[in-house]
């Protein structure tokens, strides 16, 4: 890494002009230029080092698994991955300038908009789960807006970066307001956790703050856990059928939540048109056989292509 008086800037092969976009507990995101083609990109650099060669190999294997998600039209493209000379893993990704976290602070989504975003992101999660990949941190800040105005699910890199660590610290990298109850018990991540997080996110995008929050102030970890026992208030102007679906996704019992496929399809058939708009209907087109396992180790890490892809047009 190169150090100046203000910040330590990593050296990433092929990238120049790195400047900090965001800093987090587990990684720093930089804006950079990919020299070979003059493209602006985002590069996420892990704050910690991978000390062993085994960890580095596992990171690169998991990065390849996350890279398979890039083909989905509502997932941020992952261009490259690697490890810096001093052991920091990095991911080079598509650059988006805005997020739905920014949007909800000033102009919360209408029910129609939230439904349409939900259909697309639930489809992305359904595709990921079929490939044996979990997201683990769905939230408004990880729903970016492409230059074409499309919602893009970002930060599948979290699944990559935490895979090389102990499960007991996974919660440290999550956002409590959108994490399900079982994650606070350090239960292993599951597809149901992604469904909970997406349901909480869609709720927040319409209300302007996460479920059960009484105001815009983050109540902190302990009060957030205590709030799980409170009912989820209605959002003014949101049709009851959409509220019922989100409450199903926010069920305390993970086994009672819909799958990502079920959530996607249930969102799509909601018919409360305010302006005659309809989302693009997901067309489930099998390219390979249905996966025999949803395990990241057996389906994704093996490199087998026995998966079903879900592609909206």
């Amino acid at each position: 890494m190169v150090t100046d008086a203000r910040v330590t800037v990593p050296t990433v092969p092929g990238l120049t002009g790195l400047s900090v976009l965001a800093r987090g507990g587990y990684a720093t995101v930089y804006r950079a230029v990919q020299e070979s083609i003059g493209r602006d990109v985002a590069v996420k650099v892990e704050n910690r080092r991978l000390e062993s060669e085994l960890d580095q190999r596992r990171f690169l294997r998991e990065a390849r698994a996350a890279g398979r998600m890039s083909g989905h039209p509502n997932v941020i493209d992952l261009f490259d991955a690697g490890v810096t000379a001093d052991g920091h893993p990095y991911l080079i990704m598509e650059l988006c300038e805005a997020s739905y976290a920014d949007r909800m602070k000033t102009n919360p989504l209408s029910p129609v908009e939230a439904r349409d975003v939900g259909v697309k992101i639930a489809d992305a999660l359904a595709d990921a789960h079929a490939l044996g990949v979990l997201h683990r941190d769905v939230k408004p800040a990880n729903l970016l807006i492409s230059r074409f105005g499309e919602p893009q699910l970002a930060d599948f890199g979290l699944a990559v970066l935490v895979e090389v660590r102990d499960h007991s610290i996974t919660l440290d990298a999550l956002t409590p307001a959108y994490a399900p109850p079982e994650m606070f018990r350090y239960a292993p991540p599951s597809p149901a956790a992604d469904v909970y997080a997406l349901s909480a996110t869609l709720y927040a995008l319409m209300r302007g703050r996460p479920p059960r929050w009484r105001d815009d102030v983050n109540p902190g970890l302990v009060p957030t856990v205590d709030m799980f026992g409170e009912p989820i208030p209605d959002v003014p102007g949101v049709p009851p059928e959409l509220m019922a679906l989100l409450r199903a996704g926010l069920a305390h019992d993970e086994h009672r939540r819909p799958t990502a496929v079920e959530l996607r399809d249930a969102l799509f058939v909601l018919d409360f048109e305010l302006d005659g708009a309809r989302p693009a209907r997901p067309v489930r087109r099998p390219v390979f056989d249905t996966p025999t396992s949803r395990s990241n180790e057996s389906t994704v890490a093996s490199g087998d292509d026995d998966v079903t892809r879900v592609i909206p047009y």
Side-chain angles (χ1 to χ4, degrees):
M1 291 194 175
V2 177
T3 304
D4 63 22
R6 296 167 299 170
V7 67
T8 300
V9 180
T11 300
V12 179
L15 301 186
T16 59
L18 275 71
S19 60
V20 175
L21 280 177
R23 291 188 183 276
Y26 73 96
T28 302
V29 181
Y30 300 85
R31 183 183 187 128
V33 176
Q34 191 174 10
E35 275 194 303
S36 59
I37 56 176
R39 171 172 58 187
D40 288 341
V41 296
V43 55
K44 182 187 297 290
V45 182
E46 163 76 334
N47 294 334
R48 307 182 193 190
R49 291 182 174 88
L50 299 181
E51 301 293 346
S52 72
E53 185 179 344
L54 177 63
D55 280 347
Q56 292 188 19
R57 287 201 306 268
R58 187 176 183 188
F59 164 76
L60 293 174
R61 184 197 70 198
E62 297 293 341
R64 285 192 291 271
R68 296 174 70 181
M69 293 306 306
S70 295
H72 194 283
N74 296 107
V75 173
I76 288 290
D77 280 333
L78 176 62
F79 299 137
D80 202 359
V83 180
T84 63
D86 53 355
H88 294 272
Y90 62 83
L91 303 168
I92 302 174
M93 299 168 292
E94 175 186 357
L95 177 66
C96 291
E97 301 286 355
S99 77
Y100 279 92
D102 303 322
R103 163 72 192 275
M104 76 182 222
K105 292 175 184 177
T106 58
N107 185 19
L109 272 63
S110 70
V112 169
E113 289 178 296
R115 178 202 60 196
D116 293 357
V117 169
V119 167
K120 294 173 180 178
I121 301 303
D123 190 66
L125 289 175
D127 191 41
H129 296 167
L131 291 170
V133 178
L134 304 178
H135 188 280
R136 307 189 187 201
D137 196 24
V138 179
K139 59 185 179 183
N142 280 337
L143 293 190
L144 305 186
I145 303 172
S146 77
R147 63 191 182 94
F148 302 105
E150 283 292 303
Q152 301 287 99
L153 183 56
D155 221 358
F156 269 102
L158 176 62
V160 175
L161 295 175
V162 300
E163 277 296 328
V164 298
R165 307 183 197 157
D166 187 88
H167 281 305
S168 64
I169 65 171
T170 298
L171 187 60
D172 295 339
L174 300 181
T175 306
Y178 302 96
E182 64 267 20
M183 294 306 296
F184 294 90
R185 302 190 297 269
Y186 295 102
S190 71
D194 282 347
V195 168
Y196 181 100
L198 176 56
S199 300
T201 294
L202 296 176
Y203 181 98
L205 292 180
M206 294 185 292
R207 187 181 180 219
R209 57 183 182 268
R212 305 184 181 90
W213 279 28
R214 299 179 184 87
D215 50 42
D216 295 331
V217 179
N218 188 334
L221 181 59
V222 174
T224 296
V225 174
D226 292 340
M227 287 179 186
F228 283 126
E230 299 179 6
I232 300 169
D234 287 337
V235 179
V238 174
E241 57 267 40
L242 177 54
M243 285 302 312
L245 182 54
L246 295 183
R247 286 191 175 101
L250 292 166
H252 285 201
D253 183 351
E254 60 185 293
H255 302 293
R256 297 180 59 190
R257 296 173 201 150
T259 65
V261 169
E262 291 167 342
L263 179 62
R264 177 200 66 198
D265 291 348
L267 283 167
F268 179 80
V269 299
L270 289 180
D271 190 12
F272 46 81
E273 299 312 321
L274 302 180
D275 56 7
R278 289 298 297 176
R281 182 172 181 81
V283 177
R284 292 178 292 282
R285 185 181 68 184
V287 178
F288 306 107
D289 294 333
T290 300
T292 56
S293 169
R294 297 168 74 89
S295 163
N296 194 45
E297 289 292 321
S298 61
T299 302
V300 174
S302 67
D304 293 338
D305 284 333
D306 53 341
V307 297
T308 299
R309 295 191 61 82
V310 183
I311 306 175
Y313 289 93

